[in-house]
Amino acid sequence: MPRVVSVYFPYLATDRIRRHGEEAVSVDQPLVVVSRSGSKRWISAADTAARKLGLKVGMAASKAQAMIGNLHMVDADPVADAAAVERLALWALRQYSPVVAVDGTDGIVMDTEGADHLQGGEELLISGVVNGLRGKGLTARAAVADTWGAAHALARLTTNETTVVPRGDVTKAVIGLPIHCLRLAADTIQALRILGIDTVGELSALPRAPLTLRFGPEVGRRLDQLFGRLAEPIEPLRTPDLVEVARNFQEPIGASDTIAKYVRRLVAQLTAKLEERGLGVRRSDLIIHRVDNTRQCLRAGLAKPVRDPARLTKLLCDRIEKIDPGFGIERMVLVAVMAEPLEIKQVANALVEEAVVDVTPLVDILGNRGQRLYRITPVASDVPERSLRRIGPTAVETGAEWAARWPRPSRLLAYPEEIETMAVLPDQPPVVVTWRGKRRRIVRADGPERIFGEWWLRPREMQAVRDYFVVEDEHGDRLWVFRAGDGVDAGTGSHKWFLHGIFG
């Protein structure tokens, strides 16, 4: 059963204006978007600050202006809002799922079946989506469910940023929701409410024939889609710049060898199109259309732009066992969702210089198996935990170099761990260290190395210092410990001892 993610943008218009609007809006100034029809003007969108002051969508613009003196009002621009939603859908297509579509005027929908493991599971996937959008200045709520209708409703009708409905629990999650979550026409919703029907549970308990006779088949269809009794396929977003090839089958296929054969053919066609445009693929999606009107997707990511058919074929064929053909596959589509210009490089001459071994094929294989790969690069900072950061496994060199003035441990703890010590203040190293319940007698020590706080980053570090020592216990273990403070002035630190790294 597919899993569907619906992402809802409750303040799309106002967030877009704050980020890209031509008019400057201060952070604390309430903002509303005004729509008009003839001489009538009303609020069609309001940000959080405006809502807290009592403004609501649908309120007359003149009344809102009279209530709040410093209210900033901007005319609605539905075209710009629609373009913003499409850009967000393309962003999600490249980052999260092979199947992404625009969901109304205020959201996007994704089929994440087979793609969530690359993000660490559904919880991490949708929290990553929401946090990533927050970093772009956009407010979002996301929900995961078995059906598009359920995910759509829960993303819009709950106040939680993220909602995950366990498999098979759609009925329990939506039975108490109001009927306007069914995506029915406004006049149909109004007519149902006149009959005293307010929730999905009340509507689903009614006989289907009278409902169809009075309101047509749409009510029953939406109910069936909500509960998963009727499929609601997501038509993936496609733009002219996406390179795509497809193969239809007169007779459905299902054998793994046959699937692999046609994958190779599709890859050859895709790389030929990429060559015409001078591009290499960074992320490709293989979309499998089964005869039962369901889809499966395989995503292959690459560290660098690639146009080698053998390499791309291997990444896709290595995961063929994950494809369940069901009653047969009737269509296969291969899309280059992320393509970049492919730079041509001179092959090294073995008579002049030694060729550099390219490890990116191995990086691609491990990355597509769900492994998170990275390198550590130095950062210009004396504070140890700030002196390094993670970069991609194939990222270019930053140009920074490791400081070699004093020895550094081979293993740096993520966070310094407090230890118990016996030491003579202010400048003597500890003679006894107790770490994680184990008492160690120190036989050798070197130091101190004084490291000052970075006052230009945090004012409270103006006086802060650390005194680091390299100590060795009676068993030969070498530890990197420090005292917070100079050992005299309490304003420089707590004078507690911490272990920050291990040598060897």
Side-chain angles (χ1 to χ4, degrees):
M1 180 182 293
R3 295 287 279 175
V4 180
V5 174
S6 179
V7 184
Y8 168 54
F9 308 104
Y11 308 112
L12 175 67
T14 55
D15 287 346
R16 178 186 60 78
I17 292 168
R18 286 192 182 277
R19 290 188 68 221
H20 303 294
E22 297 179 358
E23 304 177 44
V25 185
S26 62
V27 176
D28 56 349
Q29 186 177 13
L31 171 67
V32 295
V33 177
V34 177
S35 296
R36 64 180 67 211
S37 176
S39 60
K40 184 179 179 182
R41 300 168 67 242
W42 70 93
I43 295 176
S44 58
D47 68 355
T48 306
R51 291 172 188 259
K52 287 181 179 179
L53 294 173
L55 304 187
K56 298 180 181 179
V57 174
M59 179 183 289
S62 56
K63 180 179 179 181
Q65 201 166 14
M67 289 174 58
I68 304 173
N70 66 334
L71 181 64
H72 193 96
M73 307 178 74
V74 179
D75 289 336
D77 189 349
V79 175
D81 291 340
V85 174
E86 185 172 335
R87 287 195 300 270
L88 291 167
L90 287 172
W91 170 77
L93 175 69
R94 294 186 172 98
Q95 294 291 328
Y96 294 103
S97 172
V99 181
V100 180
V102 173
D103 188 8
T105 60
D106 55 7
I108 60 176
V109 61
M110 302 183 284
D111 184 344
T112 60
E113 185 70 19
D116 55 352
H117 74 283
L118 298 176
Q119 308 295 331
E122 293 177 344
E123 289 277 5
L124 291 178
L125 186 149
I126 61 173
S127 61
V129 171
V130 171
N131 291 333
L133 291 168
R134 184 185 294 113
K136 298 177 181 294
L138 296 171
T139 304
R141 296 201 295 263
V144 186
D146 292 339
T147 66
W148 182 349
H152 175 97
L154 293 169
R156 287 157 177 77
L157 296 177
T158 59
T159 57
N160 299 330
E161 281 193 341
T162 59
T163 304
V164 178
V165 179
R167 291 182 183 271
D169 284 357
V170 166
T171 301
K172 184 168 63 176
V174 304
I175 201 72
L177 295 180
I179 56 174
H180 67 259
C181 74
L182 290 172
R183 296 171 289 168
L184 295 169
D187 55 347
T188 302
I189 296 293
Q190 183 64 27
L192 289 169
R193 284 177 175 163
I194 291 174
L195 296 176
I197 303 168
D198 294 318
T199 67
V200 171
E202 294 170 350
L203 181 61
S204 62
L206 296 177
R208 181 64 58 86
L211 278 176
T212 304
L213 185 62
R214 180 161 184 172
F215 299 103
E218 184 67 8
V219 174
R221 186 175 72 90
R222 287 302 191 186
L223 279 173
D224 290 339
Q225 289 175 344
L226 179 68
F227 291 114
R229 295 189 290 260
L230 181 65
E232 187 178 9
I234 301 171
E235 191 61 35
L237 179 69
R238 291 292 179 261
T239 59
D241 59 328
L242 289 178
V243 184
E244 178 179 4
V245 293
R247 178 64 182 260
N248 296 317
F249 305 105
Q250 293 183 349
E251 294 292 334
I253 64 172
S256 58
D257 292 343
T258 307
I259 295 173
K261 178 179 70 174
Y262 286 107
V263 167
R264 286 192 290 270
R265 294 182 181 180
L266 286 173
V267 168
Q269 296 174 22
L270 184 72
T271 53
K273 283 192 173 185
L274 290 170
E275 186 173 8
E276 294 175 0
R277 304 188 186 188
L279 301 174
V281 63
R282 281 288 308 279
R283 188 163 297 158
S284 63
D285 293 334
L286 177 65
I287 304 176
I288 308 295
H289 296 257
R290 304 194 308 189
V291 295
D292 59 356
N293 201 28
T294 60
R295 296 190 187 95
Q296 282 189 295
C297 302
L298 294 181
R299 167 159 284 188
L302 298 110
K304 295 180 179 180
V306 170
R307 206 165 57 218
D308 181 8
R311 186 165 160 189
L312 185 56
T313 298
K314 176 175 174 54
L315 292 178
L316 293 171
C317 289
D318 281 349
R319 301 171 60 198
I320 280 181
E321 71 277 1
K322 296 183 178 293
I323 298 176
D324 178 12
F327 296 106
I329 298 170
E330 62 180 1
R331 178 178 169 84
M332 294 171 61
V333 181
L334 183 61
V335 188
V337 297
M338 187 180 293
E340 297 177 0
L342 185 61
E343 298 179 359
I344 300 177
K345 297 182 179 181
Q346 176 67 41
V347 177
N349 189 336
L351 296 176
V352 178
E353 59 184 356
E354 184 178 354
V356 178
V357 177
D358 186 9
V359 299
T360 53
L362 177 61
V363 170
D364 294 337
I365 292 173
L366 296 176
N368 283 279
R369 291 176 181 174
Q371 304 296 325
R372 295 182 178 271
L373 306 177
Y374 59 87
R375 296 195 344 255
I376 299 295
T377 188
V379 176
S381 175
D382 287 333
V383 180
E385 60 266 31
R386 300 176 192 161
S387 64
L388 50 88
R389 66 184 177 92
R390 295 180 180 183
I391 59 174
T394 59
V396 297
E397 296 293 339
T398 61
E401 297 182 354
W402 297 103
R405 297 188 300 272
W406 292 85
R408 289 292 182 262
S410 57
R411 177 190 172 196
L412 190 70
L413 301 184
Y415 301 98
E417 296 186 13
E418 187 174 349
I419 56 177
E420 297 178 4
T421 64
M422 292 179 59
V424 178
L425 298 179
D427 296 326
Q428 297 301 312
V431 295
V432 176
V433 169
T434 302
W435 176 47
R436 295 183 179 178
K438 182 178 180 180
R439 182 182 175 90
R440 303 165 183 263
R441 185 172 63 87
I442 303 304
V443 296
R444 296 181 183 83
D446 186 19
E449 174 194 356
R450 177 157 292 182
I451 294 178
F452 293 87
E454 297 176 334
W455 53 266
W456 56 91
L457 295 179
R458 293 179 175 85
R460 64 176 178 272
E461 294 186 18
M462 177 72 74
Q463 305 294 330
V465 297
R466 293 178 183 175
D467 284 342
Y468 278 84
F469 295 85
V470 179
V471 299
E472 182 178 332
D473 65 11
E474 69 272 24
H475 302 293
D477 294 332
R478 300 176 67 223
L479 310 174
W480 203 40
V481 301
F482 72 87
R483 181 187 62 239
D486 61 4
V488 178
D489 185 2
T492 61
S494 64
H495 293 166
K496 294 181 179 180
W497 287 85
F498 297 85
L499 186 143
H500 204 171
I502 302 171
F503 292 86

